[in-house]
Amino acid sequence: MRTLIIATGGTFDKEYDELRGTLAFGKTHVPEMLRLGRCRLNVQVRTLLMKDSLLMTGADRRRILETCRRAPEHRIVITHGTDTLVKTAAALGRALRGKTVVLTGAMRPYRFGSSDGLFNLGSALSFVQSLPCGVYVAMNGLIFSWDNVKKDRRLGVFTRGQKTQVS
């Protein structure tokens, strides 16, 4: 059974643009990360967006939802920026049935080294194989249901707890 990995950008895939002195997007780093992690799973990587999650729109979230719905795979991992990951998880959790979807991200870009992205991706791939249908968030070895997770911006971690207003 194949697992779909949908790349949407976020810190996970940011690179430093030396000419402009800014963070920017190129190609997703997911295939390289899978290679370095010696991943033996049957996966397909699909780049859907390459966006900072703060710039994601309702239309972007609907596109992610429709991609999940139309995918023949029943196990899906989504790499996503951490700033609005909870919002996207809620949009999927409210509308998607019959699939196991795990969203994950990184607090530090993969290209910077010492990123949590490689560990988070591996954790998400493990969780997606063992969890029942539903939408989840995997960060730093922990798994959260879409409706019981929040980002603690003060500590820079994800914790259990009802989200605040999600539209």
Side-chain angles (χ1 to χ4, degrees):
M1 200 180 303
R2 185 170 68 182
T3 299
L4 176 62
I5 301 174
I6 300 172
T8 67
T11 299
F12 210 90
D13 280 319
K14 285 186 177 175
E15 295 193 38
Y16 183 68
D17 182 336
E18 295 176 14
L19 297 177
R20 295 188 182 135
T22 60
L23 293 175
F25 293 103
K27 292 182 180 178
T28 183
H29 304 304
V30 171
E32 179 181 347
M33 295 167 81
L34 294 170
R35 184 182 56 76
L36 288 174
R38 299 181 60 175
C39 180
R40 306 266 309 168
L41 295 175
N42 180 9
V43 299
Q44 176 185 357
V45 178
R46 179 170 178 197
T47 301
L48 188 63
L49 306 167
M50 290 301 270
K51 268 190 166 180
D52 185 304
S53 70
L54 289 172
L55 301 176
M56 276 198 183
T57 64
D60 293 327
R61 287 183 180 81
R62 286 189 296 280
R63 185 173 174 203
I64 293 168
L65 173 62
E66 285 308 310
T67 299
C68 291
R69 281 185 174 150
R70 290 185 180 143
E73 296 86 0
H74 290 277
R75 297 183 304 209
I76 302 170
V77 169
I78 300 172
T79 62
H80 196 289
T82 62
D83 285 315
T84 65
L85 187 148
V86 169
K87 190 172 186 175
T88 299
L92 297 176
R94 288 187 184 113
L96 190 62
R97 300 290 175 262
K99 298 196 179 196
T100 304
V101 178
V102 179
L103 291 90
T104 194
M107 300 303 249
R108 296 189 61 177
Y110 168 74
R111 281 283 187 238
F112 283 24
S114 299
S115 173
D116 54 337
L118 191 57
F119 180 75
N120 290 341
L121 178 61
S123 295
L125 287 167
S126 294
F127 286 130
V128 80
Q129 293 178 79
S130 60
L131 291 168
C133 291
V135 177
Y136 306 90
V137 171
M139 289 294 292
N140 307 111
L142 300 174
I143 191 73
F144 307 95
S145 175
W146 70 269
D147 58 351
N148 191 19
V149 62
K150 65 180 179 178
K151 182 178 179 180
D152 184 327
R153 295 180 189 285
R154 189 176 51 83
L155 297 176
V157 297
F158 283 76
T159 62
R160 295 195 197 308
Q162 288 302 100
K163 296 174 297 299
T164 54
Q165 180 72 18
V166 177
S167 52

